[in-house]
Amino acid sequence: MNEVRNRRSMKNSRRRRVYLVSASLTALVLTAGGTAMAVQQTKTTAPDDTTTVAYGKRSAYPASDGATQHVKKKHRKKRATTTPTQTATAEPSASTPSASTEPTEPTTTAEPTQTTAPAATTKSASTNAAFAGTKKTENWTANVSELYTKYERGGSTVKGGVSDSGATDGKAVNLTIPAGAGSSPGNAAELASKEQFTYGSFSSRVKTADCSAQPNTGAVTGIFTYGNDGTDKDGDGLTDNSEIDIEVLCARPDVLNLTIYTDYEDSTAKSQRVSRIVDLAAGKVISTCYYTDFSGECKEVLSGTQASPATVPAISGFDSSKSYNDYKIDWTAGGVTFTITDSSGKGITLWDYKGPAERIPSRPASYLVNFWHTSDWAAEGRPKSVQSPTSPLTVAVDSSVTQALK
């Protein structure tokens, strides 16, 4: 029943998309279900050093084109007749002071000590010896990044190097959606990693938007991995969808929605996914289920290693909009672990999923943080929380860390 209330129209709400755009590209050929569609793309150079791309119908997934693979998030809502505009900030080729890479010593299991993050942030970067790749940190001390592309859609804005006393180094990046924001991730403020990963550790220190003055607002903060090239390599009849989500709905900043996808078929909205909902302020696991569609029907109540830990301790007064918290995803072939480190440095495992291989993503994915308005995904116990913002809302990201498996 909780899933029915929370995601009763999820085929219209959980649409996030990544557009990794090559400036020299004038047309994309998108393939979905064997149907090819060409999207005419126009590029203009704006005075503020941005690249503006007008794009047409976006209900298909593009085929892979190697290093410049274009990844689009699934669509579960009828397209509008107007063509929105997406702006991607042009990034410099030179290294920026806000980004850093730290080689991992293969013989050491502890993280290097020369990090600018406090103890809580250090814990968010995996100390699991399984992750031996170079740790890459973006502290957002500047408005540009060598590691991430910024996307502004539907009037949303993304601004780095913003002074913030709560940030580790006093600087953060703000993801802002405007008053009256259009619904769907097509209007999201978004950060997307330029690198794709097959397994890895991903964390971001985030303060979600404060909706206390407009409590019925529908807005989603997403911290997630995502990859979908439109193919079905596992041959199960559904398009492969490599996705791991941590999501917070603005109207319930005390509740975390955790989801792992392996498949999603756009034409039928059929999926393969497992999901857990946690009320962290109350220390309550609301549900842990396996789903195959968006009807709200839990096909299997998970137990054992698919539902570990069985209980989650409460963080008294937890409110993700009042302070920074570190959210982490550890992804391996054997499972996915979700953890949070709160502002006091307290670390909690939210879900340590160890399930069948077919329920664990194995395809490449980018790492993203985004913020968008939803008009049809109401927060737990708040059925009216789908309204458009009456004033601008902002999510702040202090830092993000990625570390490949090897």
Side-chain angles (χ1 to χ4, degrees):
M1 291 302 293
N2 291 307
E3 186 72 10
V4 173
R5 289 197 300 268
N6 280 343
R7 302 193 179 195
R8 57 190 175 85
S9 185
M10 280 295 290
K11 75 175 188 177
N12 290 336
S13 68
R14 288 184 36 78
R15 299 171 300 128
R16 293 176 305 274
R17 54 191 71 78
V18 185
Y19 300 90
L20 305 181
V21 183
S22 170
S24 63
L25 199 60
T26 59
L28 298 178
V29 178
L30 310 182
T31 304
T35 301
M37 293 184 291
V39 177
Q40 186 63 40
Q41 215 170 243
T42 59
K43 171 185 174 292
T44 60
T45 302
D48 59 353
D49 228 8
T50 61
T51 299
T52 302
V53 179
Y55 51 89
K57 187 173 181 180
R58 299 173 293 165
S59 58
Y61 302 112
S64 170
D65 57 6
T68 58
Q69 180 183 30
H70 304 282
V71 184
K72 287 192 178 182
K73 188 61 184 174
K74 48 195 168 289
H75 288 243
R76 300 177 188 172
K77 187 173 183 178
K78 187 177 179 181
R79 294 300 307 146
T81 55
T82 57
T83 301
T85 298
Q86 163 186 294
T87 300
T89 303
E91 310 294 354
S93 57
S95 178
T96 60
S98 62
S100 66
T101 59
E102 299 175 29
T104 301
E105 296 295 335
T107 57
T108 341
T109 57
E111 291 301 325
T113 57
Q114 59 268 30
T115 175
T116 58
T121 306
T122 301
K123 290 179 183 176
S124 75
S126 176
T127 55
N128 188 331
F131 301 102
T134 299
K135 186 170 69 173
K136 299 179 180 180
T137 303
E138 178 55 75
N139 289 310
W140 291 108
T141 58
N143 192 37
V144 292
S145 171
E146 193 176 53
L147 304 177
Y148 293 83
T149 301
K150 303 183 300 178
Y151 292 98
E152 299 173 326
R153 309 183 184 104
S156 68
T157 60
V158 180
K159 185 177 181 181
V162 177
S163 295
D164 187 331
S165 60
T168 304
D169 54 8
K171 298 289 184 180
V173 59
N174 285 350
L175 311 183
T176 301
I177 58 174
S183 179
S184 98
N187 298 302
E190 186 168 87
L191 306 171
S193 69
K194 297 178 181 180
E195 181 179 0
Q196 286 201 318
F197 304 83
T198 303
Y199 310 124
S201 182
F202 313 90
S203 65
S204 287
R205 190 168 185 259
V206 176
K207 181 167 64 175
T208 66
D210 185 352
C211 291
S212 56
Q214 39 186 320
N216 284 326
T217 297
V220 183
T221 300
I223 303 162
F224 60 106
T225 64
Y226 176 75
N228 186 316
D229 65 4
T231 62
D232 176 23
K233 290 193 174 180
D234 59 9
D236 63 0
L238 298 174
T239 300
D240 298 340
N241 192 84
S242 179
E243 179 177 354
I244 304 169
D245 302 328
I246 299 174
E247 293 171 298
V248 181
L249 290 165
C250 202
R252 284 298 304 270
D254 54 335
V255 172
L256 303 181
N257 300 270
L258 316 173
T259 310
I260 305 168
Y261 280 83
T262 53
D263 298 276
Y264 174 74
E265 187 59 48
D266 187 56
S267 61
T268 61
K270 296 295 184 181
S271 68
Q272 301 280 353
R273 74 187 195 277
V274 291
S275 178
R276 168 171 278 201
I277 304 174
V278 179
D279 182 337
L280 200 49
K284 179 183 178 182
V285 175
I286 296 171
S287 64
T288 308
C289 281
Y290 167 67
Y291 299 93
T292 59
D293 57 33
F294 292 92
S295 66
E297 180 185 357
C298 177
K299 295 293 185 180
E300 177 188 346
V301 176
L302 302 182
S303 60
T305 59
Q306 294 192 80
S308 178
T311 61
V312 173
I315 297 179
S316 179
F318 177 80
D319 183 333
S320 61
S321 71
K322 300 304 181 186
S323 61
Y324 279 100
N325 298 280
D326 219 306
Y327 303 88
K328 185 178 69 166
I329 296 166
D330 278 351
W331 170 32
T332 68
V336 178
T337 303
F338 300 85
T339 58
I340 183 172
T341 302
D342 69 9
S343 56
S344 71
K346 181 180 181 181
I348 290 176
T349 298
L350 302 166
W351 193 14
D352 186 20
Y353 180 79
K354 300 291 189 293
E358 62 269 19
R359 295 183 183 180
I360 299 169
S362 59
R363 302 289 302 277
S366 299
Y367 176 57
L368 305 93
V369 180
N370 71 4
F371 183 45
W372 51 282
H373 163 51
T374 176
S375 62
D376 46 23
W377 180 13
E380 178 74 18
R382 300 291 302 276
K384 296 181 179 180
S385 60
V386 291
Q387 297 176 8
S388 183
T390 56
S391 61
L393 293 170
T394 297
V395 167
V397 182
D398 178 14
S399 60
S400 289
V401 180
T402 61
Q403 186 174 17
L405 183 65
K406 55 184 178 179

